[in-house]
Amino acid sequence: MGGVTELLTSALQAHRAGKLDEARSLYEQVLTQDPDLPDGWHFLGLLAFQSGNREGGITALRRTLELSPDYADAHANLANMLLAKEQIAEAATHLDRAIALAPDSLPPRIALAMIRRHSGQAAEAEALLRPALVQHPDNVAVLYGIANALMELGRPNEALDHIVHLVSLKQDVLDLGRLMGYALGKLGRNDEAADYYRQRLAADPNDAEAHHLLAAVGGTQAPTRASNDYLRRTFDNFSATFEAQLASLNYRAPQLIRAAVAQCQNPSERQLHVLDAGCGTGLVGALLKPWSAHLSGVDLSKGMLERARGRGIYDTLAEGELTAFLVHHPATYDLVASADTLIYFGALEEFAARAFDSLRDGGWLIFSVEDGGDQAEDYRLQFHGRYTHRIPYVVRVLEEAGFADIRVAQDVVRHESGIAVPGLILAASKHEG
């Protein structure tokens, strides 16, 4: 075994030095001499995955655990590989095992807490992170995870303490600004939120998120719609975890859109030319695909479009601003469907007019917005950066654009911080002559 030990040491040194071909050759020599050595399979699997051979990496890690079922690091690393392939349930099983075997190991605890939070189990995520917070009070991932969990549990005061701590650490944390503003806005502390966004703009005058959210908390005049730069930044950043985050919010807009289509158009298989307007990762498109003779999608975010393309359901995908796209596609669609894209539009007049023109005679526009209830304004930019709309305004806009048979349904589109978010599902038809 001395020779195997020396080979393995040399392989690890080459691996750490980035000499991957040399390391691979040495790991293979190790396994030739001892085919049942767990460490050999473990590190060869890590190298394979690192080199882009995902399946080879997973296979090697599975072999590791066949040989050594209590190998904590192998459980944790296999879980990370499975997460990269979005095999969430199996990854969670291995993370649970890694934590049981090595309770003080931080990475699997953080990863499992993220899975629990994204699956709507915020209390379980908090429980996982509490011990880690005691041992690692300045760890960015722990602070960020527990702050998000507390927000989802409806405890913004506690969350804000951790968010402020994160800010004090001066770390570049994805979505920290939005989280800070959301917590302050939820607590009604809009002046403090505005001061925070002004500080960000002083450091970077081109910070599109800070500009938008400053307006959202009343620090500047609200725009009539969110800027393209803001939307690109937001959704490019969210694209990798978008669907998991929506799942944790009990997001229902795509299902509500599909139900409205079924009621309005009574579609049969492969019948409709459909535009998924603001397609995101393709959640709506996947539900409408069986009814589509041709399914198109348009979105501003490259990251979202990459995820949508990976579904393999769209006949065409386009990167661009929605209303500008519609201008170039007159009388093209039987259905324009849009789930939670227009929550980033305040004024809807231009969109409605362009959507009308893009439809064939007899086509339908079906979309969701958030319900403004009895708010005084036709539309209002809320502290979280989305707009809410009053029913009379949306109906009037659709009528003025030329739509008929306008139907409005009120329903819950998601939950945030344990509270139902009321939405509107609008359906309107185009009949000319």
Side-chain angles (χ1 to χ4, degrees), residues 15-16 43 45 66 79 110 118 152 160 169 219 243 253 319 359:
H15 194 164
R16 294 187 184 110
F43 292 114
E66 288 175 5
I110 292 170
H118 284 171
E152 289 164 21
L160 189 59
L169 296 174
E243 293 183 28
E319 180 186 345
L359 287 166

Side-chain angles (χ1 to χ4, degrees), residues 177-178 180-190 193-194 197 209-226 230 342-347 369-390 414 416 420-422 424:
R178 177 183 291 273
M180 168 74 91
Y182 191 87
L184 289 168
K186 192 76 176 172
L187 293 166
R189 294 161 61 175
N190 283 359
Y197 293 127
E209 181 181 72
H211 276 292
H212 183 74
L213 295 179
L214 177 61
V217 296
T220 57
Q221 180 69 35
T224 58
R225 56 154 289 178
Y230 168 72
L342 298 175
I343 59 177
Y344 296 101
F345 286 57
V369 291
E370 292 188 11
D371 190 351
D374 58 0
Q375 67 187 33
E377 307 93 334
D378 287 337
Y379 56 86
R380 178 188 294 172
L381 179 59
Q382 302 289 349
F383 70 88
H384 44 58
R386 305 188 304 270
Y387 292 84
T388 52
H389 295 82
R390 293 180 64 239
R414 65 163 68 80
E416 288 186 355
V421 176
L424 305 173

Side-chain angles (χ1 to χ4, degrees), residues 228-244:
N228 291 348
D229 286 345
Y230 168 72
L231 293 173
R232 283 194 191 95
R233 168 176 172 160
T234 297
F235 290 101
D236 280 346
N237 286 343
F238 281 169
S239 58
T241 60
F242 179 73
E243 293 183 28

